[in-house]
Amino acid sequence: MKGMVFTEFLEMVEMKFSADMVDDIIDDSAPPSGGAYTAVGTYDHVELVNMVVALSKRCDIPVPTLVQVFGEHLFGRFHTLYPTFFAGQASVMDFLEGIETVIHTEVRKLYPDAQLPQFDCTRDVGGLQMRYSSPRHFGDLAEGLIKGAVAHFGGGVQVSRLDQDNGDIVFDLRTLA
Ligand code: HEM
């Protein structure tokens, strides 16, 4: 996983908890990389999972909640860091429908070693279904990113999550009447 995901996570922990908490969760999880991440580096995503587990133990907030909160935070950071991806996007449905075909496709060009999930999108009247699949199983991160996107575009969209037997997750987005 790209280092920017790690640096953004640790910055969020420092902001919402403290710099000591950052040191503590790195100590607790003893990442093979040593915990000094650079934005352009690439690291094992398990190191991130282990740090979230360590944070969960220390702050007594469930892992899925922490990962979702991080997803919402990360969405805001993506918006700041990659404003061009948002230009001309009329609605959250249009934006999210293009995650696979536009945004992550561009991310792949920028970072050929990026490990990205797959989103299969189906649009219908008033809604969008997104099937998420990834061997890294970061569905909670996807949920946080999707909810961050909905909030960014002004809300008014209900997000439901249907976990599938094969590990995929279908996110159903409906415009609220
Ligand atoms: C401007 C917006 C976005 C940018 C620039 C972006 C870029 C990235 C980057 C750089 C990674 C890390 C890849 C790696 O570590 O190798 C990533 C991972 C990921 N992205 Fe995006 N992303 C954006 C929006 C979104 C949105 C809105 C969603 C949800 C629909 C999403 C879902 C994910 C997930 C779930 C991962 C974790 C990897 C996995 O699940 O296998 N991204 N993205």
Side-chain angles (χ1 to χ4, degrees), residues 37-153:
Y37 301 101
T38 64
V40 291
T42 301
Y43 308 89
D44 190 339
H45 73 280
V46 173
E47 290 193 12
L48 184 66
V49 175
N50 290 343
M51 286 196 287
V52 178
V53 170
L55 179 62
S56 170
K57 282 185 186 144
R58 282 186 177 265
C59 70
D60 213 18
I61 297 173
V63 168
T65 308
L66 289 171
V67 176
Q68 283 180 34
V69 168
F70 174 49
E72 289 181 44
H73 170 84
L74 193 58
F75 181 84
R77 294 293 296 146
F78 282 155
H79 181 246
T80 304
L81 296 169
Y82 304 95
T84 52
F85 291 151
F86 294 83
Q89 296 291 339
S91 75
V92 70
M93 306 268 187
D94 290 347
F95 172 76
L96 289 173
E97 199 180 2
I99 283 299
E100 179 78 27
T101 51
V102 182
I103 295 178
H104 279 173
T105 302
E106 290 302 314
V107 170
R108 256 186 213 102
K109 289 184 200 161
L110 289 171
Y111 309 108
D113 61 344
Q115 294 178 309
L116 293 160
Q118 190 184 333
F119 283 101
D120 292 318
C121 294
T122 317
R123 196 76 181 259
D124 61 58
V125 181
L128 169 70
Q129 284 213 339
M130 307 176 74
R131 177 180 277 265
Y132 164 85
S133 46
S134 166
R136 289 165 293 285
H137 300 291
F138 270 126
D140 291 319
L141 191 68
E143 186 172 340
L145 283 158
I146 290 169
K147 288 183 174 165
V150 167
H152 172 81
F153 282 88

